[in-house]
Amino acid sequence: MEDRRSFLKKMALGASAFAIPGVIAGCGSDAKAASAGGSVVTPRGAGLPITGTFLDEISHDIPHQNWGEAEWDADFAHMKAMGIDTVIMIRSGYRKFITYPSEYLTSKRGCYMPHVDLLDMFLRLADKHGMKFWFGLYDSGRYWDTGDMSWEVEDNKYVIDEVWHRYGRHHPSFGGWYISGEISRATKGAIDSFHAMGKQCKDVSGGLPTFISPWIDGKKAVMASGSALTKEQAVSVEEHEREWSEIFDGIHDVVDACAFQDGHIDYDELDAFFEVNKRMADRYGMQCWTNAESFDRDMPIKFFPIKFEKLRLKLEAAKRAGYDRAITFEFSHFMSPQSAYAQAGHLYRRYCDYFGIKI
């Protein structure tokens, strides 16, 4: 009978018989990646690259990093190095905290005067780094309290005009609008609200593009403040297609793209939902993007940078579905080498290894 030592020796000598060509240490271009992080056993670069990121400077469920302009300048350079060409300010204000000194929001809504004009800073940095900047509308918080999106239309009537005339016309980087109301399913006033805000954005700016980033009401669509990671009642693929076809039908003339958040469904559901999303977008002449969340929804501590394996699965599913673009929420906390989370820098390097980006 063969003893354990002889068996292991035979396996070591014969390991090359089980190798996957070009993806283990010493084999072609993957040798460096293998020596840095172990043998690579899946194809590299098979996912949809991330070319855009949200900027979440007014947040309510992730910690503030207290960066000044020097830190933001460095972060834009890190973004550019990995192929990001578009930054999206996720919201220009949330409840009473705002990103720019809005005369309307401070005088009419009692918002706090910001310490610095973040909108001006982001636009100047986008100009400097050759990126496009998309402006996220104001979120009063009343939708989250009442479930009625029509509240947002009134405030943003003023915000859209104020921002375009004060900033938009003066910066070559100002490239579009993000309608920041997040919904998952048929919501009171959603179609009319999206349409009103999208139309005003286009009218005031000469037709600059607009997009939305809703969430799928999947098994992981739970309250961030709760302890549960999943729920029993989740939308089916058929219900999702029926409800969102109705919404797309009512907004496609003023909303150019939809970037569904990808973190609320399980990894083995990605293909089914992504296929439906792309089919709906094509039907209504909209671009289909993915909001590839770079934070992990599967852990009891909310929120940490995602495991690269999970991000890879999501980006590869988006590529299989023929999506037009991948953006992420969001680079600065969850992928940046200078993030407060050490894991974020590691995720940045694994991502760049995967896509063959030299940094």
Side-chain angles (χ1 to χ4, degrees):
M1 179 180 290
E2 186 176 46
D3 63 20
R4 176 176 175 272
R5 180 171 295 179
S6 298
F7 173 77
L8 293 174
K9 183 177 180 181
K10 183 188 294 183
M11 291 298 293
L13 291 171
S16 60
F18 300 96
I20 301 174
V23 294
I24 64 168
C27 294
S29 62
D30 285 284
K32 183 178 179 182
S35 63
S39 297
V40 178
V41 296
T42 58
R44 290 174 58 187
L48 189 64
I50 294 170
T51 58
T53 181
F54 284 105
L55 303 172
D56 190 11
E57 185 64 4
I58 299 293
S59 61
H60 61 98
D61 54 9
I62 54 176
H64 204 285
Q65 300 194 105
N66 293 305
W67 287 353
E69 186 158 342
E71 291 89 351
W72 277 110
D73 193 7
D75 222 48
F76 274 55
H78 290 310
M79 296 174 197
K80 192 75 177 287
M82 67 162 269
I84 288 175
D85 59 21
T86 302
V87 290
I88 306 127
M89 191 166 68
I90 194 165
R91 55 184 73 87
S92 54
Y94 178 63
R95 297 188 187 269
K96 290 193 175 184
F97 286 96
I98 54 178
T99 58
Y100 73 99
S102 166
E103 182 179 345
Y104 170 78
L105 292 174
T106 54
S107 64
K108 301 299 184 182
R109 292 291 176 255
C111 292
Y112 308 130
M113 181 65 69
H115 177 58
V116 296
D117 189 337
L118 295 169
L119 176 53
D120 173 72
M121 181 189 72
F122 287 146
L123 282 163
R124 286 188 289 102
L125 290 176
D127 290 343
K128 174 182 176 179
H129 291 275
M131 295 180 174
K132 285 299 181 185
F133 174 89
W134 293 52
F135 176 81
L137 303 187
Y138 173 66
D139 182 347
S140 72
R142 286 180 288 182
Y143 159 66
W144 302 106
D145 296 335
T146 66
D148 185 351
M149 276 195 67
S150 61
W151 289 103
E152 308 309 314
V153 177
E154 184 64 23
D155 287 337
N156 280 296
K157 282 180 184 176
Y158 299 93
V159 168
I160 292 166
D161 281 348
E162 186 177 53
V163 164
W164 177 250
H165 289 97
R166 188 187 300 182
Y167 303 90
R169 298 184 301 176
H170 311 296
H171 288 275
S173 61
F174 198 108
W177 307 84
Y178 170 54
I179 304 171
S180 58
E182 295 180 24
I183 66 172
S184 65
R185 304 178 71 164
T187 299
K188 182 181 179 182
I191 293 175
D192 291 342
S193 298
F194 278 149
H195 195 278
M197 291 185 284
K199 185 177 186 304
Q200 184 179 352
C201 288
K202 285 185 164 295
D203 287 347
V204 76
S205 64
L208 286 181
T210 63
F211 87 101
I212 59 174
S213 186
W215 42 287
I216 299 169
D217 194 19
K219 63 187 295 185
K220 292 190 275 186
V222 296
M223 292 293 293
S225 58
S227 59
L229 297 178
T230 60
K231 63 181 184 180
E232 291 294 328
Q233 298 298 319
V235 71
S236 68
V237 175
E238 294 76 18
E239 289 173 313
H240 175 73
E241 182 171 19
R242 183 173 62 252
E243 293 173 351
W244 276 97
S245 290
E246 180 182 353
I247 296 171
F248 281 8
D249 185 61
I251 65 173
H252 69 277
D253 58 323
V254 294
V255 175
D256 298 281
C258 179
F260 280 105
Q261 300 168 28
D262 68 2
H264 295 95
I265 53 177
D266 221 338
Y267 302 100
D268 56 8
E269 299 177 300
L270 291 168
D271 285 300
F273 278 96
F274 282 15
E275 180 184 346
V276 162
N277 292 343
K278 184 64 167 71
R279 184 165 66 238
M280 289 190 294
D282 287 350
R283 185 187 309 146
Y284 289 100
M286 299 169 66
Q287 284 209 341
C288 188
W289 302 355
T290 188
N291 180 354
E293 293 179 343
S294 40
F295 65 93
D296 203 331
R297 290 188 180 273
D298 302 328
M299 299 179 65
I301 302 174
K302 301 168 183 176
F303 294 100
F304 281 158
I306 199 169
K307 179 181 179 181
F308 172 71
E309 192 83 356
K310 297 176 180 179
L311 181 61
R312 177 184 68 82
L313 289 172
K314 298 191 294 183
L315 294 176
E316 289 177 358
K319 183 72 173 288
R320 285 193 299 272
Y323 273 31
D324 298 293
R325 184 173 202 178
I327 61 174
T328 188
F329 181 86
E330 48 85 47
F331 178 88
S332 298
H333 281 86
F334 304 117
M335 291 190 76
S336 172
Q338 62 175 11
S339 167
Y341 298 119
Q343 306 96 318
H346 300 314
L347 179 59
Y348 181 76
R349 288 183 282 278
R350 297 295 77 73
Y351 176 92
C352 290
D353 288 345
Y354 175 71
F355 281 106
I357 298 169
K358 294 182 179 180
I359 51 172

